[in-house]
Amino acid sequence: MARADRPALTPAATGGPPSTESVRRAVEAVWRIESARIVGALARYTGDFELAEDVAQEAVAEALLTWSRDGVPANPVSWLLATARRRAIDSFRRRSALDERYAVLAGRLAEGEASSGVVAPRDRSDDLPWDPDRVDDDVLALMFVACHPVLSPEARVALTLRVVGGLSSEEIARAFLVPVPTVQARITRAKKTIAAAGVPFELPPSEERRERLGGVLSVLYVIFTEGSTATTGDRLLRPDLAYEAIRLARMLAALLSDEPEVYGLLALFELTAARFPARTGPDGEAVLLEDQDRRLWDRSAIRRGLAAIGRASAAGRGLGPYGLQAAIAACHASASSVPETDWERVVLLYEALGRVAPSPVVELNRAVAVAMADGPQQALSLVDELVASGRLSGSYLLPSVRGELLVRLGRTAEAQAELELAARLCRNVRERSVLLRKAAAPA
């Protein structure tokens, strides 16, 4: 393609080509921030979700080569989208020369030649590479497609992080400690499943949107939870993964500002992440809540979290599961110490959470709150009921809580056995070391 046919490029500061490393950083930054809008716009134009994601990735690969030679474009998003569109056209040509679908796509490109690369784009809002009134819809549709119920939970997480979060397969694999081929296979199967099911790239009707919103929120919750307390490995936290979930939750809140549970989820993320600076020591070891230096807590994140709870409450529908968890996190964030925490309110909030979203983990957490509010004996009765039910069999959480309660009751031999069992079941190195340390203390 002749130089005059490309979008305008920014020359390097010295007049020569930029370094490969600086171009790589520029491409990564643009992709991480704008990938959802790019893929969303391409999916709407092509009507093919898998093709949109593929040609977007091809455009990124081409950018690494072209920008190193010619300089970073003045409008890198427009350049990526124009390049991806040309790749999409080539794909349609290969499928069938000049079929009706290609004619429709070509007609859309003709509406704005600046964004197709025929003429260098001018600095005008009507030359944006997508309809400004549709940007929010594109990103929101992308979230609902990536979290579609036809996909398995694992596939939803991988696809969301890939196409909405802009993470590479390597980053996703590293975050969840699975092989890269496993992530790639999940993403490939997810795209094929979406195509086979005929899932349209569009926002679902409002009534379906509300029904499927829970699936979108649950995907973000899984991503954040893994980031805030890693299931396995030698790190307690994976902050990059948690902060990516926060970024996506903020995006969702901006797009669905009338949905209180979106703000409830965002509040939970902000208030939980506020404690990250104090949750690990200099060597990465876990620091328990009662031992944390609360001066290290992120007060800005706490303010954002409390504001988000206010938005969730203002709807007047009552707090949902995520909002109630955020309210519990707010009790911790507002207290000067563990003893000064309003444990009676925490117990009430867990009781409310157990009514709207019952689970054995909620019951276990309520038992912990009861122990702080009313003493360990009553809490132990609740935990023993969970043991008898067998609903948390195989989880390290149950014996770890039971061991703590037995320590407080002076039943040290039983406590040691429970804590050692919890350590054997725990797959996170940092949490396991805490449990072993506790198990050795009562002996």
Side-chain angles (χ1 to χ4, degrees):
M1 184 174 64
R3 172 87 182 191
D5 292 333
R6 298 194 191 104
L9 300 173
T10 301
T14 61
S19 68
T20 301
E21 179 61 22
S22 66
V23 168
R24 184 189 63 79
R25 289 198 301 266
V27 171
E28 288 181 352
V30 172
W31 180 250
R32 183 59 58 88
I33 295 169
E34 301 289 359
S35 60
R37 297 204 300 169
I38 292 171
V39 175
L42 289 166
R44 172 158 55 85
Y45 279 117
T46 64
D48 188 326
F49 177 71
E50 183 174 10
L51 176 63
E53 212 271 332
D54 289 345
V55 296
Q57 291 290 331
E58 290 175 12
V60 168
E62 186 171 332
L64 290 170
L65 296 175
T66 306
W67 297 4
S68 295
R69 182 188 66 227
D70 299 333
V72 178
N75 189 337
V77 175
S78 179
W79 191 101
L80 287 170
L81 188 56
T83 302
R85 280 175 169 172
R86 288 192 293 273
R87 293 297 183 96
I89 291 173
D90 290 343
S91 176
F92 284 135
R93 279 177 174 150
R94 288 192 297 269
R95 293 179 185 181
S96 56
L98 291 173
D99 60 7
E100 181 181 354
R101 198 172 189 185
Y102 168 61
V104 172
L105 182 63
R108 285 174 177 160
L109 285 172
E111 294 173 4
E113 289 184 339
S115 62
S116 71
V118 176
V119 179
R122 294 159 292 174
D123 186 19
R124 285 174 44 192
S125 61
D126 57 359
D127 284 337
L128 288 171
W130 45 65
D131 179 352
D133 295 331
R134 293 291 301 276
V135 168
D136 289 354
D137 286 354
D138 285 343
V139 176
L140 193 56
L142 193 61
M143 282 194 175
F144 276 91
V145 171
C147 299
H148 197 280
V150 297
L151 302 177
S152 68
E154 296 81 7
R156 293 181 203 174
V157 170
L159 194 60
T160 298
L161 287 174
R162 176 62 174 271
V163 302
V164 185
L167 274 66
S168 67
S169 297
E170 290 76 13
E171 288 174 309
I172 300 169
R174 189 165 58 248
F176 286 95
L177 299 181
V178 296
V180 172
T182 299
V183 171
Q184 292 171 333
R186 287 176 184 173
I187 293 171
T188 299
R189 283 196 302 269
K191 290 191 285 188
K192 291 184 181 302
T193 300
I194 286 171
V199 176
F201 184 84
E202 61 185 19
L203 280 175
S206 57
E207 62 276 8
E208 291 184 23
R209 196 182 311 166
R210 188 176 296 276
E211 292 173 2
R212 286 167 50 185
L213 178 61
V216 177
L217 297 179
S218 68
V219 166
L220 299 184
Y221 184 79
V222 168
I223 295 170
F224 181 83
T225 300
E226 182 62 27
S228 64
T229 303
T231 304
T232 60
D234 58 0
R235 290 188 296 163
L236 181 69
L237 305 174
R238 294 205 175 101
D240 290 350
L241 198 58
Y243 290 133
E244 182 62 27
I246 293 175
R247 185 179 75 86
L248 296 176
R250 288 172 181 165
M251 184 189 302
L252 191 61
L255 300 175
L256 292 176
S257 58
D258 59 342
E259 290 290 346
E261 264 297 76
V262 176
Y263 281 99
L265 185 72
L266 178 57
L268 175 62
F269 290 176
E270 295 279 15
L271 292 167
T272 304
R275 302 202 297 266
F276 282 3
R279 284 188 59 198
T280 55
D283 297 325
E285 71 275 14
V287 179
L288 300 177
L289 181 62
E290 57 266 29
D291 299 324
Q292 290 176 17
D293 182 352
R294 299 190 178 213
R295 293 172 298 180
L296 299 177
W297 288 5
D298 186 341
R299 296 297 160 184
S300 296
I302 291 174
R303 286 192 293 271
R304 290 194 299 269
L306 295 176
I309 291 180
R311 290 287 297 269
S313 302
R317 303 181 207 167
L319 294 177
Y322 298 117
L324 288 168
Q325 291 179 69
I328 292 168
C331 289
H332 294 294
S334 303
S336 58
S337 66
V338 168
E340 294 299 319
T341 303
D342 189 350
W343 290 107
E344 287 78 9
R345 175 170 170 75
V346 174
V347 171
L348 292 175
L349 288 169
Y350 271 121
E351 289 175 352
L353 181 60
R355 288 192 293 271
V356 300
S359 80
V361 173
V362 171
E363 292 180 36
L364 184 63
N365 285 327
R366 181 170 72 90
V368 173
V370 167
M372 300 302 297
D374 302 317
Q377 188 59 60
Q378 184 177 342
L380 183 61
S381 300
L382 298 174
V383 171
D384 286 342
E385 290 176 11
L386 279 173
V387 173
S389 72
R391 287 184 293 164
L392 278 176
S393 177
S395 169
Y396 77 96
L397 296 173
L398 190 56
S400 67
V401 172
R402 193 169 190 274
E404 291 272 7
L405 296 175
L406 290 169
V407 168
R408 292 181 58 183
L409 290 169
R411 296 159 60 175
T412 55
E414 295 172 82
Q416 185 174 16
E418 291 286 348
L419 292 169
E420 288 175 349
L421 171 60
R424 288 195 298 272
L425 294 173
C426 182
R427 296 163 57 200
N428 182 282
V429 173
R430 298 297 182 177
E431 287 195 295
R432 187 187 305 129
S433 66
V434 171
L435 293 166
L436 290 173
R437 199 162 59 240
K438 289 181 177 181

